[in-house]
Amino acid sequence: MNGFTYLTRFLSSHSSYSRLLLLSSVSTGGLLVYAESNVESRKQVVEENQSVSAKKRVVVLGTGWAGTSFLKDLDISSYDVRVVSPRNYFAFTPLLPSVTCGTVEARSIVEPVRNIIKKTSGEIQFCEAQCLKIDPENNKVFCRSGINDNLVGHNDFSLQYDYLIIAVGAQVNTFNTPGVMEHCHFLKEVEDAQRIRRTVIDCFEKSVIPGQTDEERRTNLHFVIVGGGPTGVEFAAELHDFVHEDLVRIYPSVKDLVKITLIQSGDHILNTFDERISSFAEQKFQRDGIEVMTGCRVISVSDHFISMNVKSTGEHVEVPYGMVLWSTGVSTRPFVKDFMEQIGQGKRRVLATDEWLRVKGCNNVYGLGDCATVDQRKIMEDISAIFRAADKDNNGSLSVEEFQDVLEDIIIHYPQVDLYRKSKHLLEATDLLRDSKGNKREEVDIEGFKLALSHVDSQMKSLPATAQVAAQQGTYLAGCFNRWEQCKSNPEGPRHFKSSGRHEFLPFRYRHLGSFAPLGGEQAAAELPGDWVSMGHSTQWLWYSVYASKQVSWRTRYLVVADWARRYILGRDSSRI
């Protein structure tokens, strides 16, 4: 026993041997197992635990474009990150219309979240659950798992956070139209696309059952799309190609009874695009036999009819249908609305953030993607503070040199200044100080300064609710988190006009990389930076290359390209699965 005690002391005093495991045979034939950790190793464990607990807790709600981009680019060495989402995958949503008709398979456009987060340095914990409530006062979120397959354990749980990232997207906006929720299809999730695919096949299968009249078959084969935005137009084009390239060969007896109708409340479809694209799309749909009904507002949807008013004539029209897709915009999710009530944004339609994507009213909560909008500050709200900061000699007037000294910070903080200058074709930003006759002025007083910038805020625009915006916001915010400590000591943002110092980070700036609108028949339209518009077959190939390159992984990139090749060679699959 004395020998054992001596060995214990020896191992304790020699750190290099502290992790040895000694197996010693005794007279009874048994084995004695000894493991002794020295004081230094214990100290190291304590220090590691303290280091882990010292990390800031970041909770990310959502695994869409914004949330996934944030997680991919975030350096988590300084953060304890947890992700909460009701789906355990990221979906490439721009290809959802292609999934509805089998051009691309559903699994080809999804990547498991755990495949994405495991690539980061460190560990990110993921919970497949839905957020029910946000408690900003106690920095806590309450969640519930949707997994209820008779598994043991509780479904409800809560998470504490130091920083909360809300990137949950939005839900379909029905505008409280009666019957929409009960009778219409939507196209926001992969499951929606799969349901639409089954319904399209059901409509054709029902139409070939014996004993039906031609009128009943026409009703079953009437596909109606409500909403002439990019999603509605792309689905109409995909459905037209599916019908005329594949289904007419399988169901030849009803090929002349199929009808596709696109209903738009505005005067044109694709009204967010250049008018040349809108006109091209309408002409192509007319040639393809897709009926476009503009200036029509849907007032109700029943089990077999859509009721709408025609704005030009005031006429009330009822249209029979077999399937309806509702694609008219988005609205805020219920728990986000509740959160907005708590922080004084209850009268807004969407969560408001500042230029750094911080939710207004909460310094440690950020809003990304479709669930939030950047509430750009108006320059006229700060005009007096800007003038005082620029007037260094305090003489009550602003010289051109003093204006130039703060001009860069003004343009960074208020991008509408540069947009206004370009819209007025002013060569230099200092040309803003010219008088009403266009003559240069050496200096201006406060009233002249206000008058010179009084129309600048007219150029303010809200960012579109697109995947492109959400992805850029996620990347931007991850960069801010990665440089947080560095920018505290060396701020990179514009100066504070109402106080001293500078903002820690540059504000978020959206860079528009272009928009596509596939129109079927291997043709597409694109609106590219620099006011470039492209339409036709070559644009479709550009669409293929861009969408393939933007896939989140090489696995999905290969699968999507393989699906396109398979569709071109073998056609689309029409089985109901």
Side-chain angles (χ1 to χ4, degrees), residues 295-559:
C296 298
R297 185 174 66 88
V298 176
I299 57 177
S300 67
V301 181
S302 65
D303 53 351
H304 295 300
F305 292 92
I306 291 180
S307 299
M308 58 185 179
N309 287 330
V310 182
K311 293 180 181 179
S312 59
T313 63
E315 182 183 3
H316 178 80
V317 178
E318 286 192 342
V319 178
Y321 70 86
M323 191 201 82
V324 179
L325 171 69
W326 187 271
S327 177
T328 60
V330 295
S331 64
T332 308
R333 297 188 184 276
F335 83 90
V336 178
K337 289 182 181 178
D338 177 70
F339 173 65
M340 292 167 63
E341 292 282 350
Q342 296 181 63
I343 62 175
Q345 294 192 22
K347 295 183 179 180
R348 298 186 61 91
R349 291 186 296 178
V350 67
L351 191 62
T353 73
D354 62 16
E355 301 93 314
W356 294 269
L357 308 183
R358 283 189 302 255
V359 173
K360 291 192 170 183
C362 296
N363 289 330
N364 62 341
V365 181
Y366 296 82
L368 310 179
D370 295 357
C371 69
T373 184
V374 177
D375 191 14
Q376 175 63 49
R377 192 169 182 85
K378 295 180 179 180
I379 193 171
M380 294 308 295
E381 294 177 354
D382 303 329
I383 195 72
S384 298
I386 295 172
F387 187 88
R388 286 193 300 270
D391 186 16
K392 292 183 178 181
D393 54 14
N394 296 319
N395 65 349
S397 64
L398 201 64
S399 66
V400 173
E401 291 76 15
E402 288 175 327
F403 180 59
Q404 287 177 329
D405 187 54
V406 298
L407 182 58
E408 182 179 354
D409 293 310
I410 291 175
I411 291 176
I412 291 174
H413 201 164
Y414 308 94
Q416 61 265 38
V417 174
D418 210 35
L419 293 174
Y420 179 78
R421 178 184 66 83
K422 292 176 181 178
S423 69
K424 295 299 181 181
H425 306 290
L426 302 177
L427 297 178
E428 301 291 339
T430 52
D431 292 342
L432 291 166
L433 298 183
R434 293 176 181 268
D435 61 20
S436 57
K437 296 181 180 180
N439 299 318
K440 288 186 176 181
R441 290 185 287 187
E442 295 299 324
E443 59 182 22
V444 292
D445 59 12
I446 181 64
E447 294 303 322
F449 189 61
K450 289 180 179 178
L451 183 62
L453 300 178
S454 59
H455 300 293
V456 166
D457 290 329
S458 64
Q459 295 296 313
M460 293 174 59
K461 297 179 180 179
S462 298
L463 296 178
T466 62
Q468 192 175 160
V469 172
Q472 290 185 28
Q473 288 179 336
T475 300
Y476 163 81
L477 189 60
C480 293
F481 272 65
N482 295 342
R483 303 189 309 276
W484 202 305
E485 292 301 323
Q486 174 187 344
C487 291
K488 281 183 179 179
S489 57
N490 187 22
E492 64 182 19
R495 71 179 70 181
H496 286 281
F497 289 115
K498 292 187 176 182
S499 60
S500 61
R502 307 184 74 87
H503 292 278
E504 292 178 347
F505 305 105
L506 293 170
F508 170 72
R509 289 291 173 265
Y510 168 60
R511 182 187 175 194
H512 184 62
L513 302 177
S515 301
F516 286 93
L519 302 174
E522 294 298 314
Q523 295 190 58
E527 193 175 58
L528 304 174
D531 196 31
W532 286 11
V533 171
S534 176
M535 295 169 286
H537 294 284
S538 60
T539 309
Q540 179 69 26
W541 285 101
L542 178 63
W543 178 86
Y544 283 138
S545 61
V546 169
Y547 274 40
S549 66
K550 292 297 182 181
Q551 294 298 313
V552 73
S553 70
W554 279 102
R555 184 189 71 86
T556 56
R557 188 173 293 119
Y558 167 79
L559 290 174

